[in-house]
Amino acid sequence: LSPDCSFTCHYRCRALVRLDCSGPPGAGDEDDGNEQVLEKDTNVDEPSEWEKTELDQAQVEQRIKEYNSQINSNLFMSLNKDGSYTGFIKVQLKLVRPVSVPATKRVPSLQAGRPHPQGVKRRTSFYLPKGTVKHLHILSHTRASEVIDALLRKFTVIDNPRKFALFERSEKDEQVYLRKLGDDEQPLRLRLLAGPSEKVLSFVLKENETGEVNWDAFTLPELHNFLLILQREEEEHVRRLRHRYARCRQKMQEAL
């Protein structure tokens, strides 16, 4: 059991674990809500202002030139001969729950004289560092669901992709707006239409809404693990609420 992030593993697996963390996301924050977030549109069937915009080939070429002239890096967009285009998107991973990565180890069979034919797949769970970002080089027709799959592969995460969702984030009038992208939406197209400004548009990977996850697709060990995580989250939330009310009560008593 780690004293910093409460990571727990089998004692024989301890030497295989490499962690560099100072606690789970939000540790030490009373409300874990430094950012005032308003979900402007959680209905993926209703297109955003970027999704409603249609461009012909000449407009796409002009937009790419304008985009490349505004960036301060070498992450340019390129127009292909077939009319498609390639470019980079940056995705911030804001995950509040641990993710699972494989830890395959060949172990002997429990029955003497019968060696196990294959290695036993094991999982190691840990919290991704806060503020983790990843640049992806994608095509204009790459879908949001494919971006999620690519991100999970980059970090060797073996959790079901349906646990996660890609959001577009924008800032307007000192307010942050989030909208979950549909599986078939094209992030690079949204990036081109919005321009390179991260305030106008950025991408965030978060956990999917609980009610939208097909829980029947998970195995029994995974479901038991989710229940344990939810129980710990609930206990921590109750602890913070009690601490807040106790402090408020103390201030009132001091005033009296």
Side-chain angles (χ1 to χ4, degrees):
L1 177 64
S2 168
D4 295 326
C5 66
S6 300
F7 172 82
T8 306
C9 71
H10 191 272
Y11 74 98
R12 291 181 179 175
C13 304
R14 184 169 51 189
L16 303 174
V17 177
R18 295 291 183 269
L19 292 177
D20 182 14
C21 60
S22 57
D29 298 336
E30 182 180 342
D31 196 24
D32 196 24
N34 296 329
E35 191 176 69
Q36 296 297 320
V37 174
L38 169 65
E39 291 194 13
K40 175 184 176 184
D41 175 17
T42 55
N43 182 0
V44 296
D45 296 326
E46 182 179 341
S48 65
E49 58 178 303
W50 314 118
E51 190 66 12
K52 296 174 185 176
T53 305
E54 295 293 340
L55 300 177
D56 58 29
Q57 186 66 21
Q59 290 174 319
V60 168
E61 185 175 1
Q62 180 61 30
R63 289 269 187 157
I64 291 177
K65 290 181 180 179
E66 293 175 359
Y67 182 94
N68 290 340
S69 67
Q70 296 174 24
I71 62 175
N72 298 320
S73 65
N74 59 349
L75 304 180
F76 299 109
M77 289 196 189
S78 302
L79 184 64
N80 301 321
K81 294 181 179 180
D82 61 0
S84 65
Y85 49 95
T86 59
F88 293 86
I89 62 169
K90 184 175 76 171
V91 182
Q92 182 180 13
L93 284 73
K94 300 184 69 172
L95 304 178
V96 298
R97 295 172 181 169
V99 295
S100 300
V101 296
T104 303
K105 184 179 180 181
R106 189 174 297 275
V107 297
S109 172
L110 296 178
Q111 300 182 16
R114 294 184 60 185
H116 202 285
Q118 295 178 344
V120 176
K121 291 185 178 180
R122 300 179 181 272
R123 288 169 173 256
T124 299
S125 298
F126 68 97
Y127 289 95
L128 281 176
K130 209 170 186 178
T132 300
V133 297
K134 190 68 179 178
H135 286 86
L136 292 177
H137 187 250
I138 62 175
L139 292 163
S140 54
H141 53 75
T142 301
R143 299 179 297 127
S145 59
E146 295 171 326
V147 169
I148 295 174
D149 291 338
L151 286 170
L152 298 184
R153 287 196 303 270
K154 289 284 187 181
F155 291 94
T156 65
V157 174
I158 57 178
D159 292 321
N160 194 311
R162 301 303 300 176
K163 284 176 56 181
F164 308 95
L166 192 65
F167 289 79
E168 74 171 20
R169 178 186 184 277
S170 59
E171 298 180 25
K172 184 178 181 181
D173 299 329
E174 300 182 354
Q175 178 65 60
V176 176
Y177 295 85
L178 287 177
R179 184 184 72 89
K180 191 177 82 169
L181 299 185
D183 288 344
D184 295 329
E185 290 194 59
Q186 301 162 336
L188 189 62
R189 180 175 179 273
L190 299 177
R191 177 80 280 164
L192 177 63
L193 293 171
S197 173
E198 290 290 319
K199 287 190 174 183
V200 175
L201 175 71
S202 60
F203 296 105
V204 181
L205 182 72
K206 301 177 66 176
E207 281 87 2
N208 207 348
E209 295 294 333
T210 305
E212 300 177 13
V213 177
N214 180 18
W215 296 108
D216 293 334
F218 296 93
T219 63
L220 286 177
E222 287 178 319
L223 292 173
H224 284 302
N225 190 40
F226 296 155
L227 288 174
L228 289 175
I229 292 172
L230 288 176
Q231 180 181 351
R232 292 173 184 172
E233 288 183 355
E234 181 182 5
E235 291 172 353
E236 177 62 19
H237 188 61
V238 170
R239 185 193 67 79
R240 291 185 179 183
L241 281 176
R242 287 176 175 170
H243 175 72
R244 183 186 302 173
Y245 278 98
R247 190 173 63 176
C248 184
R249 188 178 297 110
Q250 179 184 359
K251 294 294 183 182
M252 291 180 181
Q253 289 173 348
E254 292 175 356
L256 289 172

